[in-house]
Amino acid sequence: MTIDALTISDLGKAFRSYRSEWQRVLSWLGVSVKPAIEHWVLRGVAFSVAPGEAIGIVGQNGAGKSTLLKLIAGTLRPTEGTVRIDGRVAAILELGMGFNPELTGRQNALHAGGLMGFDRRALKEVMPAIAAFADIGEYFDLPLRTYSSGMQVRVAFAVATAFRPEILIVDEALAVGDAAFQRKCFQRIEAFRAEGTTLLFVSHDTETIKKLCSRALFIKNGHLALFGPAKIVCDRYEQHLFGNQASLNAGKASVSVPAKFDPSLTTPACELIYGSGKTEIDSCWFEDLEGQRVNVVEAGQHFVWRYDVRFNEPVDNPVFAMLLKTREGIALYGVDARQLDIRPTSYARGDVVTVRFELSNCLAPGVYYMNCGVRLDHAGGVEFLSRRIDTALLRVIEGAAPTVAIGLLDMEARLSVTVSSDTLVQQR
Amino acid sequence: MLAPNFASAWRYRHFILSSIHTEFRARFVRSKLGGLWMIIHPLAQAAIFALILAELMAAKLPGMANNKFAYAIYLLSGMLAWSLFSEIVSRCLTVFIDNGNLLKKMLFPRINLPLIIAGSALINNLLLLLAILAVFALLGHIPGPQLVWMPLLIVLTMALGLGVGLLLGVFNVFVRDVGQVVPIALQLGFWFTPIVYTPSVIPLYLRGVLQLNPMTAIVQSFQNVMLFDRAPDFAGLGWIFLVTLLLLAAVLALFRRASAEMVDVL
């Protein structure tokens, strides 16, 4: 039996506040003082991780993920329970800690590397590798303050991962930086793993966790809600997030279940409404082709996005628009009345119109956000009469026959595999 | 109890040195005189006091009637000691708060932080000492052989500053009022130390209070060594040495208890 890389037993962390700070001082002196409030942010967490395993950690903001990571990294001390670690831990809780804007990239690498406890001589030896990984050219020898934030992240990640740790903790630090560099970071993490590094990875992006990790932890309200295979844990987490029970009973069960409306699938927290006020978008929703309100559709099932616009002032030739985005904010498809060749019309004050976009559904299963708006294209620019950002959530669930292995789109591949010599024979 | 601390500090020596280096570099980057300002400020302050009080105080300096700049020299000696002490105290006061995010997100020996402060304050003070010796030379005063005690005095001042500063620094994390009170207390302390005046000018009943201030013996020793070419006040320094040791031990013990909760409230 091998020794676990990480063993967490009965871990708990409470933030204490006292009626007076002097009582806190007394408690250090050994006087037993009862704290006025003991706020447990994490309690009863126990799990162990084998060497070389990759563990994803999911949970809502404030659930205790970061606290757990800090306890493992050792910057916070547990109130109860223990953390046992075998090997060197590198925790990337935030990129660029200890960086100084006046130092160059190279000097910062030496300086911050020193803060991480790396030996100076070893750092100098790997400096060419750090520079190569950061890949920012001559900027590496210019002061950090001249960098773009992306460049800072590159140097910071290059330094933080200059040496392979036994345990690597990454707290959403990779959410920044451009996509190409993110991929490079993941490649390095994968390379570490291949050499036996244990990975703890916090992310809101369940797709990445499913891709990167074998198992996952779901932290809910400071407790370990679930620990198991990454796919199952991520699904349960999303189910908790979006409150959709039926759709998660996997593809088979939903075959017979018609597209439906899930009232809990809303975006009150992130919706943004603004505009000049000449129009108002009273309501907006998805519906199926029969006109029934939905927000859960099967992959491949076409749907309609519609919204009602009320005109508070007379408006000539408004442009109606929509935009579908991923959770990360990547625009998937946007279109407006100009492309769709709608005849320009003028509207009077008090008019109410219904805008209806009928859409083909080639989305992979997942959660998507919808924007809608009305604008006026002037000669000088664009005036938004009203706009609702992230106003509705659409959940696409797997249909009868799942076709998407990974990604955002279902491109409806038709696969044929032929042996080339046979082809020749047939052609002859 | 101390050994592991110093072992880890040694392991991080390059980081400590590069932090001090970075601090100085940052000071020089955008200003023409850069780090020189650290010297110019106390010198200018001394010049102002000298300008205003020289006439009043000159006669009060025993045995220095032959040098008309005696008061300026007296002032500078005291200022040297006080600036070292107050710089360390005021920086230690906020060291944990200023580095709060670092403490929460990186694991490194905490002793590095005060050592960086001590190192950078020491370099400042040595530069100030050189500047002051240059001014002395201009004023026609060459300090005598008693100057050999300077390293000892400087180390003792630093140790006292670290003890006081870190003690307050830990409390400041929990009760932020401490950070507001200390600068005022330092101002008061400055005037309760014979830097600008000699003890002989103040009423007798207040001189006892003066002796309760540990900085009094230190400042007087600086003056002895730099101006009067007399040995430091060893009796006075002896008990300060003891107090400092106790203080540092207390800080270490306090820090051990408090450090876990410190990161919680930062």
Side-chain angles (χ1 to χ4, degrees):
Chain A
M1 201 188 123
T2 53
I3 302 164
D4 283 329
L6 175 69
T7 313
I8 306 282
S9 39
D10 192 29
L11 192 66
K13 178 74 189 172
F15 292 117
R16 295 184 170 134
S17 43
Y18 293 84
R19 236 157 282 117
S20 146
E21 289 298 326
W22 299 115
Q23 294 192 345
R24 191 195 294 272
V25 175
L26 283 178
S27 79
W28 302 333
L29 299 177
V31 182
S32 73
V33 186
K34 223 173 119 62
I37 303 166
E38 215 171 38
H39 177 59
W40 288 90
V41 286
L42 204 64
R43 199 156 202 194
V45 173
F47 64 94
S48 60
V49 180
E53 225 184 330
I55 303 293
I57 301 175
V58 293
Q60 276 171 297
N61 292 329
K65 301 186 301 284
S66 292
T67 305
L68 175 64
L69 291 195
K70 283 176 192 159
L71 287 167
I72 296 171
T75 59
L76 284 185
R77 238 171 283 169
T79 310
E80 59 182 33
T82 55
V83 175
R84 235 192 34 241
I85 291 168
D86 184 44
R88 184 176 78 85
V89 181
I92 309 179
L93 300 181
E94 185 179 325
L95 278 174
M97 295 306 297
F99 274 49
N100 187 299
E102 297 297 346
L103 297 182
T104 68
R106 190 181 301 277
Q107 289 163 341
N108 265 311
L110 267 184
H111 180 68
L115 176 65
M116 293 165 200
F118 299 144
D119 181 69
R120 192 177 186 83
R121 203 171 325 131
L123 270 172
K124 281 190 170 153
E125 266 166 33
V126 299
M127 196 55 81
I130 294 176
F133 189 87
D135 193 22
I136 54 169
E138 61 203 25
Y139 271 97
F140 198 58
D141 287 305
L142 291 175
L144 197 75
R145 65 183 148 79
T146 63
Y147 287 24
S148 69
S149 54
M151 286 195 260
Q152 293 188 22
V153 169
R154 283 164 168 263
V155 177
F157 188 84
V159 180
T161 58
F163 302 96
R164 187 182 74 82
E166 269 80 49
I167 298 178
L168 179 65
I169 298 175
V170 182
D171 186 3
E172 290 180 275
L174 301 181
V176 279
D178 56 277
F181 186 70
Q182 273 185 28
R183 204 155 52 233
K184 206 167 165 184
C185 294
F186 282 123
Q187 274 168 10
R188 173 163 276 195
I189 291 174
E190 301 270 20
F192 280 169
R193 283 205 52 213
E195 291 179 62
T197 291
T198 308
L199 175 70
L200 291 183
F201 182 75
V202 167
S203 180
H204 285 294
D205 178 12
T206 48
E207 290 306 320
T208 310
I209 286 187
K210 280 188 250 180
K211 211 162 58 184
L212 206 61
C213 306
S214 49
R215 290 197 289 169
L217 291 160
F218 173 19
I219 309 276
K220 194 167 134 192
N221 301 330
H223 293 274
L224 181 54
L226 195 64
F227 183 37
K231 168 103 178 55
I232 293 174
V233 173
C234 287
D235 284 350
R236 182 76 69 82
Y237 168 59
E238 293 206 318
Q239 175 185 343
H240 166 74
L241 262 191
F242 302 113
N244 183 356
Q245 310 286 336
S247 70
L248 277 151
N249 293 336
K252 282 168 222 96
S254 55
V255 175
S256 54
V257 178
K260 56 178 241 132
F261 178 72
D262 178 357
S264 67
L265 207 57
T266 56
T267 62
C270 58
E271 181 174 4
L272 191 67
I273 304 175
Y274 64 89
S276 61
K278 289 183 186 162
T279 62
E280 241 161 89
I281 298 175
D282 285 337
S283 56
C284 46
W285 65 94
F286 294 103
E287 57 185 37
D288 60 17
L289 299 180
E290 282 82 51
Q292 202 154 25
R293 193 163 174 183
V294 295
N295 57 13
V296 179
V297 296
E298 270 181 35
Q301 181 198 351
H302 296 187
F303 58 90
V304 172
W305 169 244
R306 60 182 288 176
Y307 53 93
D308 288 345
V309 180
R310 184 156 44 84
F311 287 85
N312 296 331
E313 286 176 32
V315 176
D316 286 334
N317 307 332
V319 181
F320 302 104
M322 57 145 275
L323 174 65
L324 187 72
K325 294 191 299 183
T326 65
R327 193 160 46 206
E328 293 76 24
I330 298 165
L332 288 175
Y333 178 66
V335 72
D336 63 47
R338 274 179 326 165
Q339 284 95 24
L340 300 176
D341 228 10
I342 290 269
R343 194 173 310 124
T345 320
S346 298
Y347 298 93
R349 188 196 149 128
D351 280 358
V352 176
V353 300
T354 297
V355 181
R356 193 168 175 279
F357 290 93
E358 196 175 313
L359 298 162
S360 311
N361 180 2
C362 58
L363 297 168
V367 175
Y368 301 93
Y369 289 77
M370 188 60 107
N371 294 358
C372 56
V374 187
R375 66 168 203 270
L376 262 183
D377 291 349
H378 300 297
V382 170
E383 177 189 358
F384 288 105
L385 304 181
S386 47
R387 226 180 171 193
R388 292 179 74 155
I389 309 288
D390 293 344
T391 188
L393 254 169
L394 179 74
R395 184 178 186 95
V396 177
I397 57 172
E398 248 167 36
T403 56
V404 184
I406 196 153
L408 296 169
L409 298 177
D410 182 355
M411 299 181 72
E412 294 179 1
R414 275 180 190 63
L415 174 69
S416 62
V417 182
T418 47
V419 181
S420 44
S421 56
D422 284 355
T423 321
L424 287 172
V425 171
Q426 281 170 2
Q427 277 175 353
R428 216 177 283 153
Chain B
M1 175 154 90
L2 276 168
N5 279 328
F6 285 108
S8 51
W10 177 248
R11 212 157 52 77
Y12 276 77
R13 64 194 180 279
H14 291 300
F15 172 70
I16 296 174
L17 291 178
S18 102
S19 297
I20 296 170
H21 187 198
T22 305
E23 244 177 57
F24 278 85
R25 189 178 351 220
R27 263 182 225 148
F28 273 99
V29 167
R30 298 272 177 84
S31 79
K32 290 214 165 58
L33 293 178
L36 290 182
W37 286 114
M38 297 303 289
I39 297 168
I40 295 172
H41 279 296
L43 287 183
Q45 210 183 352
I48 293 166
F49 283 128
L51 203 67
I52 297 167
L53 297 169
E55 289 298 312
L56 262 172
M57 293 299 305
K60 306 284 185 187
L61 285 171
M64 293 303 291
N66 54 342
N67 190 332
K68 62 185 163 101
F69 298 114
Y71 175 63
I73 295 165
Y74 178 84
L75 253 178
L76 284 170
S77 315
M79 293 287 244
L80 181 68
W82 184 262
S83 73
L84 179 61
F85 175 76
S86 74
E87 184 186 346
I88 292 183
V89 169
S90 36
R91 288 195 52 192
C92 285
L93 180 67
T94 56
V95 65
F96 301 116
I97 296 174
D98 294 345
N99 291 292
N101 201 31
L102 203 59
L103 291 171
K104 275 193 280 192
K105 302 227 165 122
M106 297 279 293
L107 191 65
F108 61 97
R110 278 27 176 159
I111 194 175
N112 286 355
L113 295 175
L115 286 181
I116 291 167
I117 291 178
S120 113
L122 175 64
I123 292 174
N124 269 338
N125 203 247
L126 291 180
L127 292 175
L128 183 59
L129 174 62
L130 287 180
I132 286 177
L133 289 178
V135 172
F136 281 6
L138 283 178
L139 300 181
H141 172 73
I142 307 292
Q146 293 294 341
L147 210 61
V148 297
W149 294 110
M150 280 305 283
L152 181 82
L153 292 177
I154 288 177
V155 168
L156 185 60
T157 313
M158 282 171 55
L160 181 66
L162 284 172
V164 174
L166 289 175
L167 192 72
L168 295 167
V170 170
F171 284 121
N172 194 21
V173 172
F174 300 100
V175 189
R176 297 290 162 103
D177 310 57
V178 172
Q180 302 298 324
V181 170
V182 169
I184 301 170
L186 274 176
Q187 278 283 348
L188 197 68
F190 177 80
W191 290 104
F192 266 89
T193 314
I195 298 168
V196 181
Y197 54 86
T198 59
S200 57
V201 302
I202 61 167
L204 263 176
Y205 70 93
L206 271 178
R207 282 185 212 169
V209 179
L210 225 53
Q211 290 309 319
L212 286 179
N213 173 2
M215 276 308 285
T216 297
I218 288 184
V219 162
Q220 285 180 328
S221 298
F222 268 73
Q223 291 156 348
N224 278 352
V225 165
M226 295 179 77
L227 172 61
F228 303 115
D229 197 27
R230 287 197 299 250
D233 168 14
F234 284 116
L237 293 186
W239 77 264
I240 291 171
F241 179 69
L242 285 178
V243 166
T244 303
L245 277 189
L246 281 177
L247 207 57
L248 287 175
V251 164
L252 205 64
L254 177 73
F255 190 78
R256 265 159 209 281
R257 301 271 156 80
S259 64
E261 285 182 58
M262 209 153 79
V263 180
D264 292 355
V265 302
L266 274 170

